Structures are given as C-alpha cells and as structure tokens.
Amino acid sequence: MRFAVLSFPGSSCDVDMYHALLDIVGVGAEIVSHQDADLNNFDAVVIPTGASYGDYLRPGALAQSSKSIDSLKAFADSGKPVLGVGNGFQILVEAGILPGAFLRNKGLKFRSGNAKLAVQNTTSTFTSIYEQGQQITLPFAHEYGNYYVDADTATQLKEQNCIVFTYEDGNPDGSVEKIAGVLNEQGNVLGMMPLPERAVEEIIGGTDGLPLFRSILKNWSEKNDNHA
Amino acid sequence: MTKVNVYVTLRESVVDPQGIAAQEALQTLGFNEVESVRIGRLIELELAGTDSEIETRVKEMCDKLLVNKVIEDYSFEIGEVAGK
C-alpha cells in the first residue's frame, strides 16, 4: 500500500508523517509536492499539518489555489482514503471536501498539549481497530481548531455517524459538539485536529495514533485480498 | 484603476470571541454604551475593468477564496483610486 503525503508551501510536518508511515507503520510512502499533482499511483492520501501558505487569509484557504486540489477532489471522489490532520483538516474544509469551517480557538490563543479523545465510530476505514468509546490521547497544536458547522449540519453529522472523535477532557477549542475528527458522508475522508502521527512511538510519548494508520492498512489489505 | 474595499464579517449566527473580548475591554475602559462588537476584515483590491465587470469578478473572488460563506458574510464598495 502506498501513501502520498501531500506537501504544500509551509507544510512543516510532512516529514513527521512520512516517518510515521514508512518507518513505524511500515507502508510505502512518498512526500508529494502540491505542484506535482498526480495522485493516481497512490492508495491513500494524507495531508499533514503545519500552516500551509503561512495560514494567511484563513488557515487552509490559500491551498485551494494549488492545482493539486483538483487531483485531491478526484481522489476523494474515487472512494480511496484521504486523511487530513491539523492544517490538513483545515485544507479539506476550505476545499469543501468536508463540511464546516474553522474559527479561532475560543480562548483566542494558540494551544498545544495532549487531548483526551473518545472514539465515536469504529466502522470507518480509519478507526476499525479501535474499540467503540475507547479513550485515547493524541497531541494537538493549533490556534484555529474551533470547528464550526451550523445546527442542521451538526444534526446531520450525528445522524450519519460522521463524528469520529470527540474531545473528552473539556473542549480546548470550543468546537461544535466537541468534534475533534469528522468523516465525509461517503466515509472515505477523515479530517481531525489532533495529530496521530505524533503518537506512534513510546519514545515520543505514546502510541494511541498507531491503530488509526493500521486500520487504514488493514482495510485496504482486506479489500485487495477480496479482489484478488 | 479602480479600488474595491471588501468587508468580511462573521455571520450573525457565529459567536465572535474577539468581538466579545474587545467589548469587555471597552466596558472596562468606561465605554458602557457599547452593546456589541463584531470584528471583521477589510480587503483592499485595486483592479481594472468597468464597474459592472468588477462587480461580477469581485463576487466570484469572494465566493471562491476571499470569504468562507459557512462562517462569513461580505459586502464591498467600488471607488476610484486617487492619483492612478
């Protein structure tokens, strides 16, 4: 299985993601420049965090001017897994691939630390190895993590079981419904503000992010075996 | 060359924590008559075209990039740029 780590100008955590995928999860991975927009040879796309385009205008907004967004939309439409973390989540939202928008954190400050999350949906490609309701701890670091959708959309997300992760020890950003991670309707695109690639080794403080990547791999492998 | 001021504001339904903090600060300074503060963004564009062309194009720019309509509203004014 081959992952593309889509890197935009200013993306600073592409190498962390690459390391997590290649060295820890043990899948094929390549850092792909946003200008080199051909994603056809990949089985999954990951958009790393790190203030693309300097977070100018709105975090994730200027990434829409890259031609890679068209390739990304086509890739997402094809049903293959797409994961956006941190700024990658903001890019997915600004591109309209996921619903909603981001506001500045409720306390108006950049915040970082470890967030306790509850896994709300274990039927997704990204979370099938976790247990329903399992509490996990993942690092986060953001100023615009306050995820917003209007009340109707929030109801819809709940009804469609699209809310994958919620914050459990308070709500560091002020996100609607304590949302920390949300799926698209088709279930193949996940955006999340906490950073699973920073929790894949004990040496960096925990491994609660590892089952997420392993779930993607497991589901891909099962699907591929079925086709064979 | 024509100047366009685009005003971007948070939608009424969206809580504006910056505005609330600024309002509290104003009240602390004795400006108790201030009942609400909403903080937005001014985007100044200079561009060529007739007014009607500019209106159409600026709307497109706002819809495509400058404004996130999930959380923001916008309005704009078209005027001359002095000396250009």
Side-chain angles (χ1 to χ4, degrees), chain A residues 109-223:
Chain A
K109 285 184 179 161
F110 175 89
R111 293 196 56 189
S112 63
N114 285 314
K116 195 181 277 179
L117 310 175
V119 182
Q120 301 291 354
N121 174 347
T122 52
T123 62
S124 88
T125 300
F126 306 92
T127 51
S128 57
I129 294 179
Y130 291 108
E131 283 168 28
Q132 183 69 31
Q134 186 180 342
Q135 295 213 340
I136 61 171
T137 303
L138 295 181
F140 71 98
H142 52 242
E143 185 174 350
Y144 283 80
N146 182 352
Y147 182 68
Y148 174 84
V149 289
D150 62 31
D152 289 347
T153 311
T155 307
Q156 209 178 326
L157 289 175
K158 270 198 252 178
E159 283 172 1
Q160 293 171 340
N161 206 15
C162 289
I163 301 172
V164 176
F165 299 113
T166 52
Y167 291 110
E168 281 308 288
D169 48 356
N171 186 348
D173 327 312
S175 297
V176 164
E177 299 290 340
K178 300 197 286 182
I179 290 172
V182 73
L183 272 181
N184 67 338
E185 212 179 317
Q186 294 72 33
N188 68 309
V189 180
L190 173 66
M192 58 192 291
M193 285 315 287
L195 306 165
E197 78 282 7
R198 292 192 194 174
V200 291
E201 294 167 276
E202 286 301 345
I203 197 171
I204 55 169
T207 56
D208 282 358
L210 210 42
L212 191 148
F213 298 109
R214 291 205 170 127
S215 294
I216 303 173
L217 177 60
K218 180 173 172 270
N219 287 299
W220 181 85
S221 302
E222 284 170 3
K223 233 186 233 173

Side-chain angles (χ1 to χ4, degrees), chain B residues 16-81:
Chain B
D16 176 11
Q18 275 192 90
I20 293 167
Q23 183 194 353
E24 285 169 3
L26 283 170
Q27 286 177 345
T28 306
L29 292 170
F31 299 104
N32 295 309
E33 69 274 31
V34 179
E35 285 176 16
S36 169
V37 178
R38 308 279 293 172
I39 295 179
R41 165 187 281 142
L42 165 64
I43 300 170
E44 296 178 335
L45 306 171
E46 286 180 25
L47 69 173
T50 66
D51 278 9
S52 80
E53 284 165 357
I54 286 173
E55 191 170 330
T56 308
R57 296 288 282 170
V58 170
K59 272 185 188 157
E60 283 173 15
M61 293 175 207
C62 288
D63 293 345
K64 235 179 167 166
L65 182 71
L66 298 178
V67 178
N68 183 330
K69 293 168 90 177
V70 176
I71 48 169
E72 294 169 334
D73 285 327
Y74 70 92
S75 61
F76 58 87
E77 290 171 349
I78 300 173
E80 292 301 307
V81 176

Side-chain angles (χ1 to χ4, degrees), chain A residues 57-58 61-62 64 93-94 100-106 108 148-149, chain B residues 10 13-15 17-18 21 41 43 64-68 70-72:
Chain A
L57 190 63
R58 297 176 306 274
L62 299 190
Q64 290 174 90
V93 162
E94 284 286 348
F102 282 92
L103 297 162
R104 191 175 281 192
N105 293 348
K106 208 173 170 187
L108 300 175
Y148 174 84
V149 289
Chain B
L10 281 177
S13 54
V14 176
V15 175
Q18 275 192 90
R41 165 187 281 142
I43 300 170
K64 235 179 167 166
L65 182 71
L66 298 178
V67 178
N68 183 330
V70 176
I71 48 169
E72 294 169 334

Side-chain angles (χ1 to χ4, degrees), chain A residues 31 54 73 77 79 97-98 143 159 168 181 190 206 226 228:
Chain A
I31 296 178
K73 282 181 176 165
D77 286 345
I97 298 173
L98 288 173
E143 185 174 350
E159 283 172 1
E168 281 308 288
L190 173 66
N226 290 342

Side-chain angles (χ1 to χ4, degrees), chain A residues 24-40:
Chain A
I24 310 300
V25 184
V27 290
E30 193 179 315
I31 296 178
V32 178
S33 160
H34 76 112
Q35 288 171 314
D36 185 13
D38 185 4
L39 299 169
N40 287 325

